[in-house]
Amino acid sequence: MIRFDDVTKTYDRTARPALDGVDLEVSRGEFVFLVGASGSGKSTFLRLVLKEEDATSGAVQVAGKDLRRLSSWKVPHLRRQIGVVFQDFRLLPGKTVFQNVAFALQVIGRSRGSIAAAVPEVLELVGLEGKGDRLPHELSGGEQQRVAIARAIVNSPAILLADEPTGNLDPTTSLGITRLLERINGRGTTVVMATHDDDIVDSMRKRVVELVDGHVVRDEHQGGYVTGAIPVVPAPEVSVDHRGAAAVDVPADGRPVAEQGGGAR
Amino acid sequence: MLSEIGIGLRRNLAMTISVVLVTFVSLTFVGAGALMQQQVSTMKGDWYDRVQVAIFLCTQDSLSASCSGAATDADKAAIEQALASPPLSQYVSEVEFETSDEAYAQFQEQDAELSASVTPDQLPESFRVGLEDPERFGVISESFQGSPGVEQVVDQREVLEPFFAVLNAATAGSLALAGVMLVAAVLLIGTTIRLAAFNRRRETGIMRLVGASSTFLQLPFLLEGVIAVCLGAGMAGAVLLLAVDRGVTGWLAEQVPAFDYITTTDVWATIPWLFVGGIVLASVASLVSLSRYLKV
C-alpha cells in the first residue's frame, strides 16, 4: 500500500536529511505505529505519502502509484484515497460537526444526497451520533478528534494517516481514539499512526517502526515503544548497511522478526 | 474566533475596494485613450471622404504674384483639364467647383456675424479636389501653385493636424497612465489574493488534504478578483458614458458643430472590451498569484 525504496528527503535549508535512505513497506490492511523523537522524520514520512513534498531521491509508491511520476493535477485524486488526522484536529470553528465532516465531501464534488447519507453513518461509527449540530468548541478534545477522524474516513479512503492524533489528549481519551483507529483498521483501512505516546504503543502490540534522525532503526511486529528483549542496534550502522523492511532487528534466536510477523518480545 | 473572522473580512474588504478603484481608474484611462483614437479616425474618415485640397482661384482683389485680376474662364478650364487628364488624374478621385456664392453661403452658415462684413465676390472661387491617397497632396500643390489664376493651394488636412496632434498626444498620455495604473492593479490583485489565501488557509489546507481539485481550490479566489475588476470596469464605463454624453455630445458638438464626434454608441461598443481586458488581466494576475501561494 505504501512503499519506500531508499527514500531520502533533504529540505533546502538544512544540511542533514529529514529522511535518509528509508526502505519501508506497509501492506494493505496493516496498522503501523511510527515512533521516534521530534525531528526524527515521522512527519516528513507522512508528507511524502501525501505528496505534499517530493522525495529528494528514491521511490515512493502509494496505492500502486509511483509518486515521482504522478502529475500535479492527479495529486487530488491520490489524496482522496488517503485520510489524515492531526494533533490539532484542524476543524473549521464556524461549522457544526456535521458541516465539518460534510465539507470534505462537498469540496470533492459529492452530491448533496450522498453527503446526507454518508455523514450520519460515519458520525455513528466514530461514536458521535446525535452531536452533528454541535460546534467544535462545544466538544471535548477527544470528541473533536473523533470529528476529525470522521472527516478523514467519510470518503472511505484506503489509507488513514494520523500525525500524533493523541498528542493533545489525556491517556484515557487517547486510548479511546487509538481503539477507534484500530476499529477503522479492522474495516480494511491501512492505518499509519505517528506518535510518541509510549503507553499506547505498548498496550496495542502492533507493528512498530522507529525512526532516529531520519533512519529506520527498528521495525517490529507486535512491538513496544522501546524494544523489549532486543537491544536497539546503533542507528547509523543499520540504516546505512541494510535495505528492506525486514533488515532491522533480529531477535536472539536469529529469526528475522519483521518478515515472520511475530516473536519479538 | 468571530472577531478574528471579522478582522480578516474587513481587511479583505478594504483590499477589494482598492482593487475596484484602481481598475476603475486604469480602465477609464484605457477607455478614454480608445475613444480618442476613435474620434481621430472618425474625423479623419469624415474629412478625408470630403475634400482634401482646395485650389483657391484669384479674385479681383488678389495681391498674389500669379494673379492679375480675377481668374478667367480659360484659367479655370485649363485647371479642370489638367485635373482630368494624366498624369494628375490618377491621383484625383473627385473634383468639385465651389462658386463664390456657395463659399459665402457656407461662411454664413459657420459664422453669420463675421460673414456680414464681406460680400460674395470677395471670397475666392475654388476647386475642391479629392485625392485617392490623401498623402499625395504635394503632387497637386506643385502642379498648380503659381499657375495662372491660382492664388493658393491649401491642404485642408493641415487645418486638422494640430487637433489630431493634440488628440494623439492625449491618447499616448492616457495610455501611459493607464499602463502604470494597470501594473498597480495587477500587483494589487496579486497581493489581495495572497492575503485572502492567507486568511483562509485553514479551509484551503483542509480542502487540499481531502483532495479538492485545484479548480475547486482556486476558483473562489479567481472569481473574487474577476468580480472586483468587473465592478471597476462597470464604473469606468459609466464615467466614460457620462463624459461623452455631457462633454462631447452635450457640449463640444454644440460649440464646434463642424465635425463629426463620437457618441455614446461608440462608448457602448468600447465597454465590452474594457470588461474583457479587465477579466483577462485579473485572471492572469490571480492565476500567477495562486500558483505561488495556493498550490495543490
Side-chain angles (χ1 to χ4, degrees):
Chain A
M1 207 56 173
I2 300 172
R3 187 190 170 98
F4 277 47
D5 282 322
D6 196 19
V7 171
T8 298
K9 173 64 187 177
T10 311
Y11 291 102
D12 301 335
R13 280 160 288 181
T14 57
R16 191 180 68 78
L19 284 182
D20 194 353
V22 170
D23 289 306
L24 190 67
E25 182 158 3
V26 178
S27 308
R28 181 183 297 273
E30 262 194 297
F31 191 117
V32 180
F33 283 117
L34 203 56
V35 302
S38 299
S40 58
K42 301 190 299 291
S43 294
T44 299
F45 179 89
L46 298 180
R47 292 172 66 80
L48 287 174
V49 172
L50 283 166
K51 202 170 159 59
E52 288 211 60
E53 302 282 351
D54 286 321
T56 311
S57 69
V60 179
Q61 275 188 36
V62 177
K65 294 192 186 70
D66 184 347
L67 297 199
R68 284 177 306 185
R69 299 207 188 92
L70 195 70
S71 57
S72 63
W73 65 274
K74 280 183 176 165
V75 170
H77 289 275
L78 170 77
R79 295 197 182 134
R80 288 176 199 187
Q81 300 176 54
I82 306 173
V84 199
V85 183
F86 297 96
Q87 179 173 6
D88 56 359
F89 318 139
R90 302 203 186 170
L91 301 176
L92 297 175
K95 289 183 187 289
T96 65
V97 168
F98 185 96
Q99 288 166 342
N100 264 287
V101 177
F103 186 69
L105 294 176
Q106 283 163 0
V107 299
I108 59 172
R110 288 295 190 78
S111 73
R112 202 170 292 177
S114 76
I115 292 173
V119 175
E121 194 180 312
V122 76
L123 285 179
E124 193 185 332
L125 175 70
V126 300
L128 286 176
E129 59 269 51
K131 294 193 174 168
D133 295 336
R134 304 282 186 87
L135 286 168
H137 70 266
E138 298 168 347
L139 300 175
S140 71
E143 285 172 324
Q144 289 188 44
Q145 191 59 292
R146 283 168 192 271
V147 178
I149 291 170
R151 185 179 63 196
I153 62 167
V154 69
N155 192 29
S156 310
I159 301 171
L160 177 61
L161 304 178
D163 193 356
E164 315 217 4
T166 60
N168 280 345
L169 306 174
D170 63 65
T172 318
T173 313
S174 294
L175 196 61
I177 291 293
T178 314
R179 294 276 176 226
L180 173 58
L181 293 179
E182 191 183 22
R183 207 157 75 234
I184 291 162
N185 175 239
R187 292 156 50 99
T189 303
T190 308
V191 177
V192 178
M193 174 168 165
T195 185
H196 31 224
D197 189 330
D198 47 357
D199 287 341
I200 283 180
V201 176
D202 287 340
S203 67
M204 299 286 285
R205 308 317 297 186
K206 297 282 187 185
R207 181 177 171 190
V208 176
V209 174
E210 182 172 356
L211 287 168
V212 174
D213 292 341
H215 302 279
V216 175
V217 299
R218 183 161 65 100
D219 188 350
E220 288 178 345
H221 281 231
Q222 299 187 339
Y225 189 77
V226 290
T227 189
I230 313 101
V232 176
V233 185
E237 280 181 41
V238 168
S239 51
V240 172
D241 296 344
H242 292 67
R243 297 212 171 156
V248 186
D249 274 335
V250 178
D253 64 4
R255 286 185 301 145
V257 175
E259 280 185 353
Q260 299 191 357
R265 305 238 33 205
Chain B
M1 247 182 260
L2 280 173
S3 70
E4 200 181 342
I5 294 170
I7 290 167
L9 203 68
R10 264 212 306 276
R11 183 192 296 154
N12 230 5
L13 189 69
M15 292 297 287
T16 308
I17 288 173
S18 53
V19 169
V20 170
L21 292 181
V22 168
T23 46
F24 157 51
V25 174
S26 52
L27 290 177
T28 303
F29 279 111
V30 171
L35 290 173
M36 281 192 271
Q37 278 311 297
Q38 281 182 43
Q39 178 61 53
V40 167
S41 58
T42 302
M43 277 183 155
K44 274 188 179 161
D46 180 40
W47 201 256
Y48 285 1
D49 278 352
R50 283 196 247 157
V51 168
Q52 291 87 34
V53 180
I55 302 171
F56 288 108
L57 302 181
C58 299
T59 61
Q60 56 199 5
D61 305 327
S62 290
L63 300 174
S64 173
S66 57
C67 292
S68 49
T72 63
D73 285 348
D75 293 337
K76 294 177 200 170
I79 294 166
E80 204 163 5
Q81 173 69 26
L83 287 169
S85 57
L88 286 183
S89 59
Q90 60 178 308
Y91 301 116
V92 175
S93 65
E94 59 177 324
V95 179
E96 265 179 55
F97 185 75
E98 190 178 80
T99 65
S100 296
D101 287 335
E102 282 165 355
Y104 184 73
Q106 201 172 10
F107 193 15
Q108 268 186 320
E109 199 178 294
Q110 279 173 8
D111 197 329
E113 214 171 294
L114 201 60
S115 65
S117 62
V118 295
T119 57
D121 56 356
Q122 284 179 306
L123 294 174
E125 295 174 316
S126 60
F127 283 101
R128 302 285 166 135
V129 181
L131 299 184
E132 293 289 354
D133 177 4
E135 303 297 327
R136 304 303 293 269
F137 157 71
V139 178
I140 304 295
S141 172
E142 279 166 27
S143 302
F144 294 106
Q145 194 74 65
S147 295
V150 174
E151 184 175 18
Q152 206 184 3
V153 182
V154 174
D155 181 1
Q156 300 215 319
R157 286 184 308 149
E158 279 172 9
V159 179
L160 283 182
E161 286 307 332
F163 192 67
F164 288 156
V166 167
L167 274 180
N168 282 331
T171 302
S174 65
L175 288 185
L177 211 54
V180 173
M181 294 301 286
L182 286 177
V183 170
V186 166
L187 294 177
L188 199 58
I189 289 168
T191 311
T192 306
I193 283 177
R194 189 169 135 193
L195 260 180
F198 184 76
N199 284 339
R200 291 208 295 251
R201 63 192 181 284
R202 209 197 299 246
E203 282 85 350
T204 53
I206 293 165
M207 287 167 77
R208 288 170 60 243
L209 282 175
V210 301
S213 64
S214 57
T215 316
F216 209 100
L217 207 56
Q218 299 183 344
L219 198 63
F221 295 96
L222 190 74
L223 285 180
E224 274 184 21
V226 167
I227 287 168
V229 164
C230 283
L231 283 175
M235 286 163 73
V239 164
L240 290 173
L241 276 176
L242 201 70
V244 169
D245 187 49
R246 297 286 155 80
V248 177
T249 310
W251 182 76
L252 194 59
E254 284 173 12
Q255 298 296 312
V256 193
F259 304 122
D260 278 351
Y261 291 101
I262 51 167
T263 61
T264 49
T265 316
D266 297 296
V267 184
W268 280 115
T270 307
I271 286 174
W273 294 107
L274 295 183
F275 276 87
V276 169
I279 288 170
V280 167
L281 203 74
S283 307
V284 170
S286 304
L287 288 176
V288 168
S289 180
L290 286 171
S291 68
R292 283 185 64 184
Y293 299 106
L294 201 64
K295 287 188 201 128
V296 169

mmCIF file of all heavy atoms in Angstrom, chain A residues 222-253:
data_model
loop_
_atom_site.group_PDB
_atom_site.id
_atom_site.type_symbol
_atom_site.label_atom_id
_atom_site.label_comp_id
_atom_site.label_asym_id
_atom_site.label_seq_id
_atom_site.Cartn_x
_atom_site.Cartn_y
_atom_site.Cartn_z
ATOM 1 N N GLN A 222 4.208 -6.482 16.506
ATOM 2 C CA GLN A 222 3.779 -6.583 17.900
ATOM 3 C C GLN A 222 4.814 -5.997 18.837
ATOM 4 O O GLN A 222 5.145 -6.561 19.863
ATOM 5 C CB GLN A 222 3.502 -8.051 18.268
ATOM 6 C CG GLN A 222 2.396 -8.649 17.426
ATOM 7 C CD GLN A 222 1.997 -10.025 17.881
ATOM 8 O OE1 GLN A 222 2.752 -10.719 18.564
ATOM 9 N NE2 GLN A 222 0.796 -10.444 17.521
ATOM 10 N N GLY A 223 5.350 -4.841 18.448
ATOM 11 C CA GLY A 223 6.407 -4.221 19.221
ATOM 12 C C GLY A 223 5.874 -3.293 20.294
ATOM 13 O O GLY A 223 4.688 -3.013 20.387
ATOM 14 N N GLY A 224 6.817 -2.820 21.126
ATOM 15 C CA GLY A 224 6.500 -1.810 22.108
ATOM 16 C C GLY A 224 7.159 -0.503 21.718
ATOM 17 O O GLY A 224 7.841 -0.418 20.693
ATOM 18 N N TYR A 225 6.948 0.538 22.580
ATOM 19 C CA TYR A 225 7.515 1.829 22.238
ATOM 20 C C TYR A 225 9.042 1.760 22.221
ATOM 21 O O TYR A 225 9.697 2.283 21.364
ATOM 22 C CB TYR A 225 7.047 2.889 23.224
ATOM 23 C CG TYR A 225 7.446 4.284 22.778
ATOM 24 C CD1 TYR A 225 6.730 4.930 21.765
ATOM 25 C CD2 TYR A 225 8.525 4.939 23.344
ATOM 26 C CE1 TYR A 225 7.085 6.177 21.339
ATOM 27 C CE2 TYR A 225 8.880 6.203 22.926
ATOM 28 C CZ TYR A 225 8.165 6.813 21.928
ATOM 29 O OH TYR A 225 8.510 8.056 21.513
ATOM 30 N N VAL A 226 9.590 1.088 23.264
ATOM 31 C CA VAL A 226 11.008 0.743 23.197
ATOM 32 C C VAL A 226 11.053 -0.771 23.044
ATOM 33 O O VAL A 226 10.174 -1.485 23.499
ATOM 34 C CB VAL A 226 11.788 1.171 24.461
ATOM 35 C CG1 VAL A 226 11.901 2.677 24.489
ATOM 36 C CG2 VAL A 226 11.133 0.636 25.706
ATOM 37 N N THR A 227 12.073 -1.214 22.355
ATOM 38 C CA THR A 227 12.097 -2.623 22.048
ATOM 39 C C THR A 227 12.242 -3.443 23.314
ATOM 40 O O THR A 227 12.815 -2.985 24.308
ATOM 41 C CB THR A 227 13.231 -2.933 21.068
ATOM 42 O OG1 THR A 227 13.086 -4.296 20.630
ATOM 43 C CG2 THR A 227 14.581 -2.742 21.706
ATOM 44 N N GLY A 228 11.695 -4.632 23.340
ATOM 45 C CA GLY A 228 11.695 -5.442 24.544
ATOM 46 C C GLY A 228 13.018 -6.142 24.779
ATOM 47 O O GLY A 228 13.958 -5.576 25.326
ATOM 48 N N ALA A 229 13.112 -7.376 24.334
ATOM 49 C CA ALA A 229 14.290 -8.187 24.604
ATOM 50 C C ALA A 229 15.494 -7.775 23.780
ATOM 51 O O ALA A 229 16.626 -7.978 24.186
ATOM 52 C CB ALA A 229 13.977 -9.657 24.326
ATOM 53 N N ILE A 230 15.199 -7.207 22.633
ATOM 54 C CA ILE A 230 16.280 -6.999 21.694
ATOM 55 C C ILE A 230 16.917 -5.632 21.884
ATOM 56 O O ILE A 230 16.229 -4.622 21.910
ATOM 57 C CB ILE A 230 15.784 -7.116 20.261
ATOM 58 C CG1 ILE A 230 14.932 -8.363 20.105
ATOM 59 C CG2 ILE A 230 16.903 -7.069 19.248
ATOM 60 C CD1 ILE A 230 13.477 -8.087 20.115
ATOM 61 N N PRO A 231 18.225 -5.592 22.006
ATOM 62 C CA PRO A 231 18.881 -4.286 22.084
ATOM 63 C C PRO A 231 18.778 -3.554 20.739
ATOM 64 O O PRO A 231 18.858 -4.181 19.693
ATOM 65 C CB PRO A 231 20.341 -4.650 22.400
ATOM 66 C CG PRO A 231 20.503 -6.042 21.905
ATOM 67 C CD PRO A 231 19.177 -6.697 22.053
ATOM 68 N N VAL A 232 18.589 -2.259 20.821
ATOM 69 C CA VAL A 232 18.485 -1.465 19.599
ATOM 70 C C VAL A 232 19.865 -1.353 18.978
ATOM 71 O O VAL A 232 20.826 -0.964 19.627
ATOM 72 C CB VAL A 232 17.932 -0.062 19.916
ATOM 73 C CG1 VAL A 232 17.920 0.778 18.647
ATOM 74 C CG2 VAL A 232 16.554 -0.184 20.514
ATOM 75 N N VAL A 233 19.958 -1.761 17.744
ATOM 76 C CA VAL A 233 21.221 -1.650 17.039
ATOM 77 C C VAL A 233 21.504 -0.172 16.793
ATOM 78 O O VAL A 233 20.597 0.578 16.475
ATOM 79 C CB VAL A 233 21.136 -2.407 15.695
ATOM 80 C CG1 VAL A 233 22.485 -2.404 14.992
ATOM 81 C CG2 VAL A 233 20.664 -3.831 15.955
ATOM 82 N N PRO A 234 22.754 0.259 16.978
ATOM 83 C CA PRO A 234 23.068 1.679 16.742
ATOM 84 C C PRO A 234 22.590 2.126 15.361
ATOM 85 O O PRO A 234 22.808 1.425 14.363
ATOM 86 C CB PRO A 234 24.592 1.716 16.832
ATOM 87 C CG PRO A 234 24.936 0.540 17.692
ATOM 88 C CD PRO A 234 23.902 -0.497 17.447
ATOM 89 N N ALA A 235 21.986 3.255 15.334
ATOM 90 C CA ALA A 235 21.267 3.707 14.138
ATOM 91 C C ALA A 235 22.083 3.762 12.846
ATOM 92 O O ALA A 235 21.668 3.209 11.838
ATOM 93 C CB ALA A 235 20.641 5.070 14.420
ATOM 94 N N PRO A 236 23.247 4.395 12.836
ATOM 95 C CA PRO A 236 23.937 4.588 11.558
ATOM 96 C C PRO A 236 24.253 3.278 10.866
ATOM 97 O O PRO A 236 24.068 3.137 9.669
ATOM 98 C CB PRO A 236 25.214 5.335 11.948
ATOM 99 C CG PRO A 236 24.900 5.949 13.262
ATOM 100 C CD PRO A 236 23.967 4.991 13.931
ATOM 101 N N GLU A 237 24.679 2.286 11.636
ATOM 102 C CA GLU A 237 25.046 1.005 11.054
ATOM 103 C C GLU A 237 23.879 0.364 10.320
ATOM 104 O O GLU A 237 23.991 -0.027 9.167
ATOM 105 C CB GLU A 237 25.497 0.057 12.155
ATOM 106 C CG GLU A 237 26.926 0.288 12.599
ATOM 107 C CD GLU A 237 27.314 -0.697 13.681
ATOM 108 O OE1 GLU A 237 26.951 -1.888 13.574
ATOM 109 O OE2 GLU A 237 27.946 -0.258 14.627
ATOM 110 N N VAL A 238 22.762 0.331 11.014
ATOM 111 C CA VAL A 238 21.612 -0.371 10.452
ATOM 112 C C VAL A 238 21.149 0.264 9.165
ATOM 113 O O VAL A 238 21.101 -0.367 8.119
ATOM 114 C CB VAL A 238 20.449 -0.377 11.462
ATOM 115 C CG1 VAL A 238 19.177 -0.841 10.769
ATOM 116 C CG2 VAL A 238 20.810 -1.261 12.632
ATOM 117 N N SER A 239 20.879 1.543 9.235
ATOM 118 C CA SER A 239 20.220 2.149 8.098
ATOM 119 C C SER A 239 21.151 2.334 6.904
ATOM 120 O O SER A 239 20.708 2.383 5.781
ATOM 121 C CB SER A 239 19.623 3.489 8.497
ATOM 122 O OG SER A 239 20.622 4.230 9.132
ATOM 123 N N VAL A 240 22.426 2.447 7.155
ATOM 124 C CA VAL A 240 23.347 2.601 6.035
ATOM 125 C C VAL A 240 23.590 1.260 5.362
ATOM 126 O O VAL A 240 23.626 1.143 4.149
ATOM 127 C CB VAL A 240 24.675 3.217 6.508
ATOM 128 C CG1 VAL A 240 25.699 3.191 5.371
ATOM 129 C CG2 VAL A 240 24.438 4.644 6.969
ATOM 130 N N ASP A 241 23.678 0.210 6.178
ATOM 131 C CA ASP A 241 24.100 -1.061 5.629
ATOM 132 C C ASP A 241 22.963 -1.918 5.105
ATOM 133 O O ASP A 241 23.171 -2.805 4.296
ATOM 134 C CB ASP A 241 24.843 -1.880 6.715
ATOM 135 C CG ASP A 241 26.119 -1.172 7.123
ATOM 136 O OD1 ASP A 241 26.529 -0.287 6.375
ATOM 137 O OD2 ASP A 241 26.657 -1.528 8.180
ATOM 138 N N HIS A 242 21.766 -1.676 5.587
ATOM 139 C CA HIS A 242 20.685 -2.586 5.260
ATOM 140 C C HIS A 242 19.632 -1.945 4.397
ATOM 141 O O HIS A 242 19.422 -0.756 4.431
ATOM 142 C CB HIS A 242 20.023 -3.116 6.546
ATOM 143 C CG HIS A 242 20.926 -4.006 7.338
ATOM 144 N ND1 HIS A 242 22.057 -3.534 7.941
ATOM 145 C CD2 HIS A 242 20.862 -5.329 7.614
ATOM 146 C CE1 HIS A 242 22.659 -4.526 8.582
ATOM 147 N NE2 HIS A 242 21.955 -5.615 8.383
ATOM 148 N N ARG A 243 18.976 -2.796 3.664
ATOM 149 C CA ARG A 243 17.842 -2.327 2.877
ATOM 150 C C ARG A 243 16.665 -3.253 3.114
ATOM 151 O O ARG A 243 16.839 -4.418 3.456
ATOM 152 C CB ARG A 243 18.176 -2.336 1.395
ATOM 153 C CG ARG A 243 19.301 -1.377 1.104
ATOM 154 C CD ARG A 243 19.173 -0.795 -0.232
ATOM 155 N NE ARG A 243 20.158 0.257 -0.368
ATOM 156 C CZ ARG A 243 20.625 0.657 -1.515
ATOM 157 N NH1 ARG A 243 20.185 0.113 -2.619
ATOM 158 N NH2 ARG A 243 21.487 1.626 -1.581
ATOM 159 N N GLY A 244 15.458 -2.752 2.889
ATOM 160 C CA GLY A 244 14.293 -3.605 3.013
ATOM 161 C C GLY A 244 13.705 -3.545 4.399
ATOM 162 O O GLY A 244 14.407 -3.338 5.388
ATOM 163 N N ALA A 245 12.431 -3.751 4.466
ATOM 164 C CA ALA A 245 11.714 -3.578 5.710
ATOM 165 C C ALA A 245 12.165 -4.572 6.768
ATOM 166 O O ALA A 245 12.132 -4.297 7.952
ATOM 167 C CB ALA A 245 10.216 -3.752 5.466
ATOM 168 N N ALA A 246 12.597 -5.723 6.344
ATOM 169 C CA ALA A 246 12.931 -6.754 7.314
ATOM 170 C C ALA A 246 14.309 -6.556 7.921
ATOM 171 O O ALA A 246 14.625 -7.121 8.946
ATOM 172 C CB ALA A 246 12.863 -8.113 6.656
ATOM 173 N N ALA A 247 15.097 -5.768 7.227
ATOM 174 C CA ALA A 247 16.505 -5.729 7.608
ATOM 175 C C ALA A 247 16.749 -4.827 8.798
ATOM 176 O O ALA A 247 17.461 -3.850 8.707
ATOM 177 C CB ALA A 247 17.338 -5.254 6.429
ATOM 178 N N VAL A 248 16.115 -5.114 9.890
ATOM 179 C CA VAL A 248 16.331 -4.257 11.033
ATOM 180 C C VAL A 248 16.710 -5.041 12.277
ATOM 181 O O VAL A 248 17.873 -5.152 12.619
ATOM 182 C CB VAL A 248 15.089 -3.380 11.300
ATOM 183 C CG1 VAL A 248 15.414 -2.405 12.408
ATOM 184 C CG2 VAL A 248 14.701 -2.621 10.035
ATOM 185 N N ASP A 249 15.717 -5.597 12.876
ATOM 186 C CA ASP A 249 16.015 -6.264 14.138
ATOM 187 C C ASP A 249 15.941 -7.775 14.006
ATOM 188 O O ASP A 249 15.009 -8.329 13.464
ATOM 189 C CB ASP A 249 15.032 -5.799 15.217
ATOM 190 C CG ASP A 249 15.535 -4.539 15.857
ATOM 191 O OD1 ASP A 249 16.755 -4.301 15.838
ATOM 192 O OD2 ASP A 249 14.702 -3.798 16.376
ATOM 193 N N VAL A 250 16.904 -8.384 14.523
ATOM 194 C CA VAL A 250 16.905 -9.837 14.533
ATOM 195 C C VAL A 250 16.938 -10.268 15.993
ATOM 196 O O VAL A 250 17.820 -9.877 16.751
ATOM 197 C CB VAL A 250 18.143 -10.406 13.804
ATOM 198 C CG1 VAL A 250 18.142 -11.930 13.866
ATOM 199 C CG2 VAL A 250 18.122 -9.933 12.348
ATOM 200 N N PRO A 251 15.965 -11.043 16.411
ATOM 201 C CA PRO A 251 15.933 -11.440 17.830
ATOM 202 C C PRO A 251 17.025 -12.447 18.158
ATOM 203 O O PRO A 251 17.732 -12.925 17.287
ATOM 204 C CB PRO A 251 14.539 -12.065 17.976
ATOM 205 C CG PRO A 251 14.175 -12.511 16.595
ATOM 206 C CD PRO A 251 14.831 -11.560 15.649
ATOM 207 N N ALA A 252 17.075 -12.760 19.434
ATOM 208 C CA ALA A 252 18.186 -13.585 19.918
ATOM 209 C C ALA A 252 18.247 -14.925 19.211
ATOM 210 O O ALA A 252 19.326 -15.468 18.967
ATOM 211 C CB ALA A 252 18.040 -13.796 21.424
ATOM 212 N N ASP A 253 17.082 -15.472 18.864
ATOM 213 C CA ASP A 253 17.125 -16.795 18.240
ATOM 214 C C ASP A 253 17.443 -16.731 16.748
ATOM 215 O O ASP A 253 17.492 -17.768 16.093
ATOM 216 C CB ASP A 253 15.803 -17.535 18.469
ATOM 217 C CG ASP A 253 14.658 -16.810 17.793
ATOM 218 O OD1 ASP A 253 14.912 -15.797 17.090
ATOM 219 O OD2 ASP A 253 13.514 -17.260 17.946
#
